[in-house]
């Protein structure tokens, strides 16, 4: 058994690292220390959807009610619309059992809710990891501020530019999608009083615009995807002019309701969309990866954070079953075997979903796009929202044990 004497370092205090800290403490009963490079825990002022597959995990960790209370559960299913606002299809928004729904979260609220569940004495801010070295036994981590420490195991939740990833021998090239997004939030009081409290996506030729409610319906998130070669040579994000965004959706080929929403925007940022090919391995001995460090994906299925939350539960389940510190590398191998498949499917699925929203087909075939979106809705509910990360890990443990006995 691993126990409170088992010391695990989590690198990165984002949504993935904090959820891992909660899961590893509550499910595996180990002692965690979170190292975050920033001087405070925080997130960009934008939205994120906690999907039913992650809500299920957060419920088991005892934090769902708190998250729901500060988020926004929509009034019902979302809608995919064409550029003029005509319905293409409804969007999946809850699991098949109708127990968990999408929850729109203002990112800083989600970080605060998760951080509130982690013992502050176990979070070390201002610690930028520079190197990870496997010892025999243990792992040494070294930080830019000169601090060095040895742990029984290390988890890299340090995002798309992960340093820990190099220590497991993985060096993926970032792949630019050819798209940027404009993102931000709008105060709900700036919209007409009858604005629907659901997710809406307008899909035109080679671009789309999405909005959904956040923060007890006081805010709306927006994300607008536009083709661009801008990030190829410079930074990956920055402030943008609202007029630039408005120009992308100007004219009478777009729904006047969408124009009304854009008029309410007073601030926006642009973001280049990158992912990478699925890694060929996530773990080396007592070092493993989680969240974007392991599987950066495009945002078009809204699954990046949700997969980090699933990872956390799976990792905690395999660790809880480890037969002491010496068995941690085997627990990490099992975790990797189960999670790599799931997330690779979603990495590719997210590329495909982006291509659908933006009609990146030969001859920009909008009719084919609309048909594909209708079919994709059911896949999303069944394969994505109904997935039970804890149950899948427990079933895999049973299979691994049978193989061991045989
Ligand atoms: C436009 C857009 C919309 C999105 N919408 C959704 C959505 O609706 N649903 C969804 O599930 N996902 C969404 N995502 C994806 C989601 O934002 C990411 O998958 C998620 O933030 C990854 O979390 P993480 O904790 O793995 O990594 P990060 O959030 O990147 O956190 C990594 C942390 O590690 C720290 N760190 C990095 N390097 C070091 C170091 N060397 N030493 C110490 N600390 C370090 C960082 O400061 C950071 O705090 C979206 C992404 C984009 C771009």
């Amino acid at each position: 058994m691993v126990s409170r004497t088992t010391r695990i370092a989590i690198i990165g205090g984002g949504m993935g690292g904090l959820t891992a800290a909660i899961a590893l403490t509550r499910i595996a009963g180990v002692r965690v220390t979170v190292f975050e490079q920033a001087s405070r825990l925080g997130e960009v002022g934008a939205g994120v959807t906690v999907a039913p597959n992650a809500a299920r995990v957060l419920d088991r960790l005892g934090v769902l009610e708190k998250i729901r209370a500060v988020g926004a559960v929509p009034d019902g299913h979302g809608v995919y619309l064409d550029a003029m606002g005509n319905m293409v299809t409804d969007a999946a928004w809850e699991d098949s059992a109708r127990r968990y729904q999408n929850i729109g979260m203002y990112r800083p609220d989600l970080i605060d809710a998760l951080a509130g569940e982690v013992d502050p004495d176990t979070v070390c801010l201002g610690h930028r990891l520079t190197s990870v070295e496997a010892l025999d036994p243990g792992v040494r981590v070294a930080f830019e501020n000169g601090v060095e420490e040895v742990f029984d195991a290390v988890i890299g939740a340090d995002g798309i530019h992960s340093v820990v990833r190099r220590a497991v021998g993985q060096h993926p090239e970032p792949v630019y999608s050819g798209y940027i997004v404009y993102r931000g939030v709008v105060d709900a009081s700036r919209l007409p009083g009858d604005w629907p409290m659901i997710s809406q996506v307008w899909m035109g030729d080679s671009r789309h615009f999405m909005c959904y409610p956040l923060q007890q319906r006081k805010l709306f998130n927006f994300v607008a995807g536009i083709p661009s070669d801008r990030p190829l040579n410079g930074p990956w994000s920055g402030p943008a002019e609202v007029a630039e965004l408005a120009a992308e959706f100007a004219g009478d080929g777009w729904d006047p309701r969408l124009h009304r929403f854009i008029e309410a925007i007073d601030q926006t940022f642009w973001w280049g969309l990158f992912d990478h090919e699925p890694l060929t391995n996530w773990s080396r001995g007592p070092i493993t990866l989680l969240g974007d460090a392991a599987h950066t994906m495009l945002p078009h299925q809204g699954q990046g954070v949700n997969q980090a939350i699933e990872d956390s539960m799976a990792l905690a389940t395999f660790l809880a079953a480890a037969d002491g510190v010496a068995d941690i590398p085997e627990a990490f191998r099992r975790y990797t075997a189960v999670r790599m498949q799931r997330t690779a499917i979603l990495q590719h699925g997210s590329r495909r979903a982006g291509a659908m929203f933006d009609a990146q087909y030969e001859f920009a075939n909008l009719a084919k796009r609309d048909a594909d979106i209708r079919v994709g809705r059911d896949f999303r509910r069944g394969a994505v929202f109904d997935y039970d990360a804890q149950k899948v890990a427990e079933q895999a443990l049973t299979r691994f044990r049978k193989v061991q006995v045989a």
Side-chain angles (χ1 to χ4, degrees):
M1 281 266 294
V2 289
S3 67
R4 287 288 298 159
T5 58
T6 309
R7 295 182 66 237
I8 298 192
I10 297 173
I11 311 300
M15 298 174 192
L18 292 176
T19 310
I22 299 168
L24 264 57
T25 309
R26 295 187 185 171
I27 306 275
V30 296
R31 234 164 98 200
V32 298
T33 308
V34 178
F35 292 99
E36 165 58 44
Q37 64 183 0
S39 56
R40 53 182 288 273
L41 297 176
E43 253 288 354
V44 292
V48 64
T49 299
V50 170
N53 48 312
R56 182 174 297 112
V57 169
L58 295 169
D59 197 12
R60 305 233 174 99
L61 295 178
V63 294
L64 182 62
E65 283 320 312
K66 184 177 169 185
I67 285 169
R68 239 190 217 138
V70 290
V73 176
D75 277 342
H77 63 74
V79 288
Y80 292 110
L81 308 166
D82 69 15
M84 286 307 294
N86 302 304
M87 179 84 154
V88 172
T89 183
D90 57 318
W93 73 297
E94 58 183 353
D95 65 352
S96 302
R98 304 186 141 191
R99 175 140 185 223
Y100 299 107
Q101 288 76 32
N102 276 335
I103 308 169
M105 291 297 303
Y106 188 50
R107 284 171 177 255
D109 292 345
L110 182 54
I111 281 282
D112 285 353
L114 294 170
E117 300 292 315
V118 178
D119 176 354
D121 292 340
T122 64
V123 180
C124 303
L125 300 172
H127 280 63
R128 183 182 168 76
L129 182 86
T130 49
S131 73
V132 184
E133 185 193 353
L135 308 173
D136 190 15
V139 188
R140 179 186 292 123
V141 282
F143 299 90
E144 205 171 64
N145 58 11
V147 171
E148 282 192 16
E149 260 191 83
V150 175
F151 288 85
D152 293 314
V154 170
I155 294 162
D158 49 346
I160 187 168
H161 303 293
S162 174
V163 172
V164 181
R165 198 163 53 200
R166 290 184 229 142
V168 301
Q170 299 288 311
H171 308 268
E173 283 293 317
V175 177
Y176 177 54
S177 64
Y179 272 70
I180 63 164
V181 288
Y182 291 96
R183 21 176 357 201
V185 292
V186 162
D187 197 310
S189 65
R190 292 171 64 92
L191 294 169
D194 60 353
W195 194 267
M197 289 292 167
I198 58 170
S199 160
Q200 301 180 79
V201 187
W202 286 263
M203 303 176 298
D205 183 354
S206 76
R207 64 201 58 213
H208 73 276
F209 191 105
M210 162 184 262
C211 69
Y212 57 85
L214 310 171
Q215 206 181 49
Q216 297 169 313
R217 306 178 169 207
K218 287 188 262 179
L219 294 177
F220 270 82
N221 184 56
F222 67 87
V223 183
I226 318 283
S228 168
D229 59 8
R230 173 158 46 172
L232 289 175
N233 306 314
W236 290 15
S237 65
E241 295 295 329
V242 177
E244 280 171 30
L245 158 59
E248 298 287 352
F249 296 91
D252 53 13
W254 287 96
D255 186 358
R257 287 177 60 253
L258 174 58
H259 290 153
R260 180 68 189 79
F261 188 97
I262 293 172
E263 278 163 26
I265 299 173
D266 56 15
Q267 202 183 12
T268 188
F269 294 82
W270 71 270
W271 231 268
L273 295 186
F274 290 82
D275 65 359
H276 57 74
E277 290 300 325
L279 304 184
T280 53
N281 190 11
W282 292 7
S283 301
R284 181 175 280 177
I287 306 170
T288 195
L289 304 173
L290 178 146
D292 273 18
H295 48 65
T296 303
M297 56 186 75
L298 297 178
H300 306 297
Q301 294 191 116
Q303 279 293 315
V305 172
N306 292 297
Q307 289 308 301
I309 293 171
E310 283 188 7
D311 290 343
S312 301
M313 179 54 100
L315 185 56
T317 306
F318 285 111
L319 261 180
D323 189 10
V325 168
D327 198 31
I328 289 178
E330 180 59 22
F332 285 0
R333 270 194 293 276
R334 292 172 171 185
Y335 155 76
T336 297
V338 169
R339 294 300 302 161
M340 266 179 58
Q341 280 190 24
R342 161 101 173 139
T343 55
I345 290 168
L346 287 164
Q347 279 176 297
H348 284 304
S350 298
R351 285 183 181 177
R352 188 169 150 66
M356 278 196 293
F357 289 160
D358 298 321
Q360 294 169 49
Y361 298 103
E362 205 177 354
F363 313 122
N365 185 339
L366 298 192
K368 172 165 172 43
R369 188 270 309 281
D370 293 352
D372 285 353
I373 296 258
R374 288 188 194 103
V375 172
R377 180 195 57 171
D378 293 334
F379 169 80
R380 198 165 153 79
R381 187 183 300 115
V384 183
F385 290 175
D386 290 349
Y387 188 90
D388 185 332
Q390 188 176 27
K391 196 163 143 198
V392 170
E394 284 168 354
Q395 286 168 343
L397 267 172
T398 309
R399 284 197 304 276
F400 286 127
R401 283 182 184 130
K402 276 189 192 147
V403 171
Q404 249 172 354
V405 170

